[in-house]
Amino acid sequence: MKLWASEHIFNHPWETVTKAAMQKYPNPMNPNVFGVDVLARGVDAAGRLHSSRLLTADWGMPSMAMSMIGITRSFTYAQEHSIVDPKEKTFELKSTNISFTNIISVDEKLTYKPHPDDPEKTMLTQEAQINVKAISLSSYLEGVIAKSISANANKGREAMEWVIRRLNSEIEELASTARGSMRAPMAAAASDDK
């Protein structure tokens, strides 16, 4: 078993980062995730949003690793469950692979919280537990997978920034459109008054 962990600080408030995380896929930084299906979504009595999604991804596993574990395709399915708690300002996301579970299990947990010293920033804590089962060189393969997770985590953070820029652009475009649509009736009303 191999454990991997990482922390990152986003220079954006928790609400912004949470919205971006919910809309992270698809994105050009992580083309390996090519399918996202919402299985269930609902709000509990405490006001927390629970979501379950099915992700389809290409792990991009090296061909040598694939041949060592006896698989011919590297696309996989993962189940993701998340809880957004707007009162506590926490967003916790857990995912686990549901493909190749007899050979490999990867359990990942991401937690987004406001930075304790600066509410305009968000802390991301990311953990993964990798377990390659009943295969020689399993420790080596767990290390290869951990390196892949680390590289994908960096791409994921870049993707979050890309989504945040896209969301901000959409908000600005909507505001601009709204300002323009309000000016025309106001100009017409002003000319009617003359």
Side-chain angles (χ1 to χ4, degrees), residues 29 31 33 49 57 61 87 90 94 101 119-120 150 190 192 194:
M29 290 79 188
V33 178
L49 174 65
M61 194 179 299
K87 291 177 189 165
T90 60
K94 294 180 180 180
T101 56
E120 293 301 308
S150 184
D192 289 344
K194 292 182 181 179

Side-chain angles (χ1 to χ4, degrees), residues 14-24 163 167 171:
W14 176 83
E15 294 83 359
T16 301
V17 172
T18 298
K19 287 176 193 169
M22 296 294 284
Q23 298 179 46
K24 184 176 170 183
V163 173
L167 291 172
I171 290 168

Side-chain angles (χ1 to χ4, degrees), residues 31-37 53-59 75-78:
N32 58 315
V33 178
F34 54 87
V36 179
D37 296 294
R53 304 190 307 176
L54 178 68
L55 305 178
T56 306
D58 184 342
W59 269 0
F75 76 88
T76 62
Y77 298 100

Side-chain angles (χ1 to χ4, degrees), residues 38 68 72 131-132 156 160 170 174:
V38 176
M68 289 175 75
T72 57
N131 192 4
V132 175
M160 291 285 288
E170 288 173 4
L174 285 170

Side-chain angles (χ1 to χ4, degrees), residues 40 49-53 79-83 91-96:
L49 174 65
H50 293 257
S51 299
S52 291
R53 304 190 307 176
Q79 185 170 354
E80 174 189 277
H81 181 74
S82 64
I83 302 172
F91 174 32
E92 185 176 281
L93 186 147
K94 294 180 180 180
S95 65
T96 187

